[in-house]
Every structure is written in C-alpha cells, then in structure tokens.
Amino acid sequence: MAQKTMRDAINEALHQAMEQDESVFVIGEDVAGCNGSAGDVGAVGGVFGVTTGIYHRWPDRCIDTPISESAIVGAAAGAALVGMRPVAEIMFADFIGVCMDQIVNQMAKFRYMFGGKSRCPAVIRFSAGGGFSAAGQHSQAMYQIMTSFPGLKVVVPSNAYDAKGLMLSAIADDDPVLFFEPKILYQEACEVPDEHYTIPFGEAAFVREGDDVTVVAFGQMVPKAAAAIDELAEEGISCDLIDPRTTSPLDEGAILESVEATGRLVVVDEAPPRCGLTADIAGLAADKAFASLKGPVKQVCAPHSPTPFAPELEAAYLPDGDKIKAAIKATLS
Amino acid sequence: MSIPTETLSEAYRLMKTIREFEERVNAEIMNGQIPGFTHLYTGQEANAVGVCAHLDESDTIISTHRGHGHCIAKGAEVAGMMKELFGSSEGLCKGKGGSMHVADIDRGILGANGIVAGGPPISVGSALAAKIRKNGKVAVSFSGDGSVNQGTCFEAMNMAVVLEAPAVFVIENNYYSEHTNISYAVGCDDLKARTEAFGFPVFVADGADFFAVYEAAGKAIEHARAGNGPAGVFAEQGRYHGHFVGDPQHYRGEGELDDLRENHDCLKNFRARMAETGELDAATLDAIDAEVMAEIEQAVTEAKAAARPTAEQVTEDVYINYGAGA
Ligand SMILES: Cc1ncc(C[n+]2csc(CCOP(=O)(O)OP(=O)(O)O)c2C)c(N)n1
Ligand SMILES: [Mg+2]
C-alpha cells in the first residue's frame, strides 16, 4: 500500500468525493489560487496544498473567495441548506473568531430550530494547532470549544489514514461537520489505500493496547502519546491509547470500557485546560467510571495562556513526551 | 508644498531602514534564525513613512500581518523589533508575539495584527477616545487590498462615519491578497469610490512616491484632526517579495518583479527628486545609507546575543491581576 501524507490523503478524499457527487464543491481563500492574476490560476490549491489539483479538474467547483470568513461559512451553510455538499476551507482555525456567528448561531442550529425540517451537509475544514512558532492568532486548537456546541459534528484526525476516511464520512454526512486538520501533521505519512473508504464518526481508534493505564489523546497529541507509551513499555508499563477521532460524537463506550479495565486515566490535549477536552473526558470518567478509578485522573494540556511565539516558549507550552510520561507514572505511584 | 529638510532626511532614513531591515530579515529567515510566519514590506516603504510623517507619538496606528514597516515608521526601536523577531525575551514583546504582533503602545503602535482586518475596528476605538477627550489626536489603521473585503473593515468604516471619529483608513493596494489579484477579490472596478461611498474623502497616491503619499496623507490626517470625521488614503505599490518568505509566487506575470524593483522604487525616486531639487545632496543620502546599514547590523548582532525566554515566562502577562485563583 502506498505511503501518503495527511495532506495528500485529505486531498485524495476531496478528489474522490468530487468524482462521485456533483453537489460537492470546495470554497475558500486561494483554494484554487492566482485568480485575476497574470500567473497560473489554480496553482496554489490552498496555502497548505490540501485542495491541490481540484481547480484543474473542476474549475466550476473550486471557488476562490475574497478574505471574508463570515461570508465563506455562510455561503457554505446556505448552499448546503439547498442541497449542495460544500467543503469550505478556513485557513486557520483561529479565524473562527471572525466567523463564529455563521457557525454557531446559524449552521449549528438550523435543523433544531426549524423543527427537524432542514439538512445542512456542509463541511468546514480548518488547519489547527501549534508547533510553528505562529503565536497567539495562528496556533489555537479551537476544536475543544466547537465541541461544546450541539448541532455540530467535530472531527480531529491524527494520521493520514484516518484523515481520508473521516473526510469521506464528513462529506457524506447530512449534518454540518467541522474538520480540524492538525497542521503539524500535514507532512506525516502512513499507509493509505487508494480506494474510497469511510471511517464512521463516534468510533475511537485503539492506537496502543495495554493493561496499566488508559491514555486518551487528540490530534497531534496522539503520535506524541504513542511515542511516550512505547518508551514506557520498555520500563514495563503498558497503556491503552485511545484516539477518539471525533470529539462530537464522542465514543464514550471505548473510553469507559478501557478505564474500567485499567482503573487509571491520563487525558492529553494541546489546548488550555479550562472547559477543554481533558476536563471533559475526566468528567466523563468521574461521572460514569468512578468506582473503577484507582486514583486521580491526570490532565496533560497547555497552561491557561495564549500560545507564545518564541520556540522555547512554545516548546514549554505544548504537552510533550516527557509531560505525558510523567503523568502516566503519576497515576501509577 | 515645501517640506523641511529635516523631515526629508528623516523620511529617507526611515524608508531605507525599513528596506534594509526587511532584506536582512529575509536573509536571517533563510538562515533559519527567525521562526514563525513573516511577511515583508519591501517596496511599500513610502506608504508607511509618508503617512507616519504626519503623526506624533500620541497619535496611534494599528498595523497588519505585514507590519514591520508601519512600526518602524511610527518610531519603534529597530533593535527591539529585531530581538522580537528572533524570539528573545528582550524583544519589544518579550518574544511572546513575534513578527505578526510587534507592538509598542508607548509610541502609539497598537500592534501588527495576524487577523486580516482585525485592526480597523480597534482603530475606531482609539479615534473615538480622541474625540471624547477632544485632544486633536488621530488614529490610523493600515489595510491591504484584501483586508478591505472583511466585514470588520466595512463595519469600522461605517461606524467611524456615524461617530464622526478621527479615524484615518490607509488602504495599501499591493495588487494581491496572498495569491489572489485585486481584480478578482474586489468586486467593483473602483475601490476608491467604494470606500468613499461610506461617506468620507479618500486621497489617492502612488505608493512608490514618498511625496505623493505625504501629500495625500497630509490631507486625510488634516481632515480627521480638524474634526471632520474619518478620511482615507489609497496608495498603490507592489511588494517586492512573496506574500510570505518562501512563497513561489505563481501569480506573478512575466517580468513583473523586475519591473517593480526597476521602475517602482521609493528610494530611487526619492534620490532622483533630491538630485533635481538639491534639497539633500547625494553625499548626505550616502551617509544615511551607511548609518542605516550599521544600525541594522548592530540590531542583528544584539538580537543574536540577546537573552532567550524561559519556561516560567509562558504564563506571565496573561493578565495584570488574576486574583486569588492564580
Ligand atoms: C481573518 C484572516 N483570514 C485570512 C488570513 C490569512 N491571510 C494572511 S495575510 C492574507 C492576505 C492579506 O491581503 P492584503 O490585505 O491585501 O494584505 P497584504 O498581504 O497584501 O499586505 C491572508 C488571506 C488571516 N491572517 N486572517
Ligand atoms: Mg495586498
């Protein structure tokens, strides 16, 4: 099977969805690129290259926009309401700050407020997360916040294989889906089948299996946690590593089953702690698996601070293997 | 219009400082010395300098992701900026912000801004404060040809008119927003007219000509200072570099970059004008060049030697006072 990067895997999913269904189109800033210029229209394919080649095959369904995030999301939502399947790109998840109303008050709530009489099968893609020294306005995870809004489905892939299958599910889904691509993982490759396949929402992946501690990690923290767990295996500590893959819906069953078996839980996410996913999963365990817990749940996440610029600061800010290992060991002591 | 010789030599010095700062930053990025996302202002220097020449320290500016030039023109300390770009804890923002967030509130620099069109609404607030305080100050926001398509920009322009606030909207048309040409992204043919339709005058200038920008900005700023509400400046001039360092620039036409550097250069134009009028001789300008080169070299040397931030600083400066919970 071919090795593909996460960027190429998502790109392939977009191509396959566009081939299958004429109602699918992509829209966003520079998703084609170079429009109106004397240069090569379509040469960009999104600033991270995720929509590469789509313009050349389907110029009418690869739509560049002005810098207008509210209108981009709104246009996707509106087109979806009348039966299209748009995949909109918001370049950085941080720009949710600009288009929050269209996502949260409009798209998320149509179906409920309209008494179940509407469908909004829109996908909004975002690059997300830290690791680029991109500072406070280009580094945020954001998915933890969006997970709190009923009506939205929220996807956070951690590898190329999952990203392709989850994207194909997202496009086929009849509800609005927010798809957060950890940008530090775009170049990471793994085996990805050429064929069309889907990965259902609400089904976690067991990335490692073990007996001592349950580790739940999200997005770019999944490979970090896997590496930490592999190191600990040499010390005789064995862990389950669960990647929920979608934060809404959440595979509560997989997490609870594992916690019931290990009695110990570490939750890892790159976002700050308050009202985040680590607290969310810790709360789930406290509520539904309390009797199984042998000790306190440990949360590994960023501090309650914006993302700093300097590489040293960002390295200290983001969770890393050492912090994950320390938390796992702390649950065992 | 006669401009005092001192103003002229200072304007030249600032334009040259921006040019050399940016070229050096470009080189240091290539060397792997400067992390993060950096957008260079090279080519557009006359816009920043022509506008800021009319401002004093307590007038405010708010900038964009392409902010180094605006900050230098408004008086930001070059070594402090360089240290910030290198991520030093001695930088203007203690290494917390980097290129996209250079700020110096004491000098009226309300920050570069990583969010396209994040600035104009904030600038209206600064202008409103000036109006309430009746202190004759103005608030300038810089926006690109792409930025003007954001709702926040429209809202800020309309509200400034409604509030009769001394806000000056400087629109810098460098023809592209990232990889998209203005002829695609701005739906109407006449951005100046679209802007004026909000209800304020807009003065147009060739952004490669310091004197043109100086004159247009002078009119706009005078209009706002005099209590007539907002005004605009519309300056056209391409950038010499890509959108970001490393941009393959597929959108450029044949010979476009050569033409820009050859025929649209504010420094060359300034020197030619001085040769004509004799206001500053070539030796004086050469001496300024040498001083600027030395200053930039010194700034880089200092930045490379400057203190690095430490882990405990991550959570400093999130709040002034977070109370008992902290
Ligand atoms: C809200 C938001 N959307 C998109 C971006 C990504 N982005 C950064 S600069 C830029 C282009 C801005 O174009 P323009 O306003 O013309 O300024 P220029 O880069 O030409 O100076 C874009 C799309 C952003 N930083 N913020
Ligand atoms: Mg521009």
Side-chain angles (χ1 to χ4, degrees):
Chain A
M1 210 184 293
Q3 293 271 327
K4 290 169 197 162
T5 62
M6 181 184 280
R7 186 193 56 204
D8 290 346
I10 299 170
N11 180 253
E12 192 168 277
L14 295 173
H15 276 266
Q16 290 178 355
M18 304 260 314
E19 279 161 15
Q20 283 192 344
D21 184 347
E22 286 190 352
S23 64
V24 178
F25 68 97
V26 302
I27 180 169
E29 293 159 19
D30 286 314
V31 291
C34 307
N35 260 296
S37 80
D40 184 6
V41 179
V44 179
V47 296
F48 293 101
V50 177
T51 56
T52 299
I54 294 178
Y55 177 83
H56 296 116
R57 293 179 70 188
W58 301 282
D60 297 344
R61 291 195 279 144
C62 184
I63 299 165
D64 274 350
T65 67
I67 308 172
S68 306
E69 281 80 8
S70 286
I72 295 168
V73 173
L81 262 186
V82 299
M84 301 291 284
R85 290 191 180 270
V87 182
E89 173 172 305
I90 298 296
M91 204 179 288
F92 287 82
D94 312 70
F95 308 161
I96 284 173
V98 181
C99 52
M100 187 95 166
D101 174 68
Q102 293 294 321
I103 300 174
V104 163
N105 292 322
Q106 311 301 334
M107 190 166 90
K109 298 181 172 66
F110 289 151
R111 183 169 178 85
Y112 187 81
M113 296 189 304
F114 301 163
K117 288 183 184 145
S118 65
R119 275 163 210 267
C120 185
V123 178
I124 318 290
R125 299 178 36 247
F126 310 86
S127 81
F132 283 88
S133 269
Q137 297 174 339
H138 286 74
S139 303
Q140 297 168 91
M142 300 303 288
Y143 48 75
Q144 82 283 8
I145 298 167
M146 306 317 284
T147 301
S148 76
F149 294 106
L152 300 173
K153 293 181 179 172
V154 180
V155 184
V156 192
S158 70
N159 62 71
Y161 175 86
D162 286 354
K164 179 176 171 184
L166 290 165
M167 177 54 79
L168 284 165
S169 292
I171 295 169
D173 202 287
D174 284 334
D175 288 312
V177 178
L178 307 187
F179 198 95
F180 290 88
E181 301 161 10
K183 55 185 175 282
I184 199 88
L185 301 180
Y186 273 136
Q187 300 290 12
E188 298 298 315
C190 67
E191 289 193 343
V192 177
D194 294 337
E195 316 66 81
H196 181 288
Y197 63 94
T198 57
I199 292 174
F201 288 178
E203 242 180 57
F206 279 78
V207 181
R208 295 287 184 277
E209 294 195 32
D211 307 318
D212 300 323
V213 180
T214 300
V215 179
V216 178
F218 298 90
Q220 68 154 307
M221 289 299 132
V222 173
K224 286 206 162 122
I229 287 168
D230 291 345
E231 284 175 38
L232 288 178
E234 288 167 20
E235 298 177 31
I237 299 169
S238 88
C239 301
D240 266 349
L241 173 57
I242 298 176
D243 172 4
R245 302 195 287 201
T246 59
T247 62
S248 180
L250 178 71
D251 189 349
E252 293 189 2
I255 296 168
L256 292 171
E257 209 174 288
S258 173
V259 171
E260 277 156 18
T262 63
R264 299 183 179 92
L265 176 60
V266 173
V267 197
V268 191
D269 188 35
E270 68 171 294
R274 300 300 309 281
C275 301
L277 286 165
T278 60
D280 188 66
I281 305 297
L284 172 73
D287 186 10
K288 295 185 179 162
F290 189 74
S292 308
L293 286 172
K294 296 173 184 159
V297 176
K298 290 285 165 199
Q299 303 180 53
V300 186
C301 50
H304 185 63
S305 130
T307 313
F309 163 69
E312 296 94 328
L313 293 176
E314 192 177 26
Y317 175 84
L318 290 171
D320 60 13
D322 286 342
K323 288 177 198 159
I324 296 168
K325 283 193 285 186
I328 292 171
K329 286 186 172 171
T331 65
L332 288 163
S333 61
Chain B
M1 175 185 45
S2 108
I3 304 175
T5 316
E6 237 167 73
T7 307
L8 289 176
S9 60
E10 185 57 12
Y12 181 79
R13 175 191 306 278
L14 288 167
M15 291 195 294
K16 181 72 178 168
T17 304
I18 297 168
R19 174 73 53 91
E20 296 307 330
F21 184 93
E22 296 295 61
E23 292 302 341
R24 187 60 186 268
V25 165
N26 189 48
E28 296 299 334
I29 292 169
M30 300 298 196
N31 294 338
Q33 295 275 327
I34 293 177
F37 302 156
T38 312
H39 310 84
L40 302 178
Y41 192 64
T42 320
Q44 299 176 227
E45 298 87 348
N47 294 344
V49 174
V51 170
C52 292
H54 297 282
L55 304 178
D56 68 25
E57 211 156 70
S58 54
D59 294 314
T60 63
I61 65 161
I62 195 156
S63 174
T64 68
H65 57 287
R66 200 176 301 289
H68 308 161
H70 306 140
C71 294
I72 290 173
K74 187 64 169 52
E77 193 220 337
V78 167
M81 275 181 64
M82 194 64 88
K83 288 178 192 164
E84 184 59 30
L85 267 60
F86 274 73
S88 163
S89 52
E90 296 170 21
L92 266 185
C93 305
K94 301 185 189 169
K96 294 284 182 61
S99 167
M100 282 193 289
H101 307 290
V102 173
D104 191 345
I105 303 296
D106 294 338
R107 290 190 161 90
I109 302 167
L110 306 188
N113 203 310
I115 300 296
V116 168
I122 300 167
S123 195
V124 173
S126 173
L128 181 60
K131 187 190 171 194
I132 292 169
R133 289 168 169 160
K134 299 189 172 61
N135 61 8
K137 299 299 164 196
V138 298
V140 174
S141 59
F142 291 91
S143 301
D145 52 286
S147 165
V148 294
N149 297 318
Q150 280 284 34
T152 46
C153 197
F154 294 155
E155 291 175 26
M157 286 177 172
N158 181 58
M159 201 159 106
V161 174
V162 171
L163 305 183
E164 297 173 340
V168 176
F169 298 96
V170 178
I171 300 172
E172 292 183 78
N173 177 14
N174 62 7
Y175 314 114
Y176 299 100
S177 48
E178 293 214 338
H179 313 273
T180 298
N181 192 269
I182 181 173
S183 66
Y184 179 84
V186 169
C188 70
D189 296 334
D190 188 345
L191 180 55
K192 172 187 186 270
R194 188 180 92 176
T195 310
E196 281 188 322
F198 279 99
F200 56 85
V202 175
F203 302 93
V204 178
D206 171 359
D209 178 356
F210 165 78
F211 297 93
V213 179
Y214 184 84
E215 192 182 332
K219 288 180 190 158
I221 290 168
E222 201 178 288
H223 176 95
R225 249 194 236 295
N228 301 312
V233 177
F234 184 65
E236 288 193 340
Q237 165 62 17
R239 52 173 156 76
Y240 289 177
H241 285 279
H243 171 65
F244 52 87
V245 177
D247 175 4
Q249 305 186 62
H250 294 298
Y251 45 82
R252 299 282 193 186
E254 184 91 24
E256 183 177 323
L257 278 173
D258 293 339
D259 175 61
L260 270 178
R261 285 200 186 251
E262 205 39 50
N263 304 317
H264 302 272
D265 181 338
C266 61
L267 293 172
K268 277 190 204 160
N269 289 343
F270 192 96
R271 276 183 173 261
R273 167 96 167 225
M274 290 303 100
E276 230 171 74
T277 66
E279 288 163 286
L280 293 171
D281 60 24
T284 305
L285 297 172
D286 291 346
I288 293 174
D289 285 359
E291 284 164 23
V292 167
M293 297 307 284
E295 186 188 12
I296 300 295
E297 190 58 46
Q298 174 69 16
V300 171
T301 306
E302 281 180 34
K304 287 182 175 168
R308 301 304 306 177
T310 55
E312 35 321 331
Q313 290 166 350
V314 167
T315 51
E316 288 173 6
D317 295 323
V318 182
Y319 302 95
I320 296 163
N321 179 359
Y322 197 39

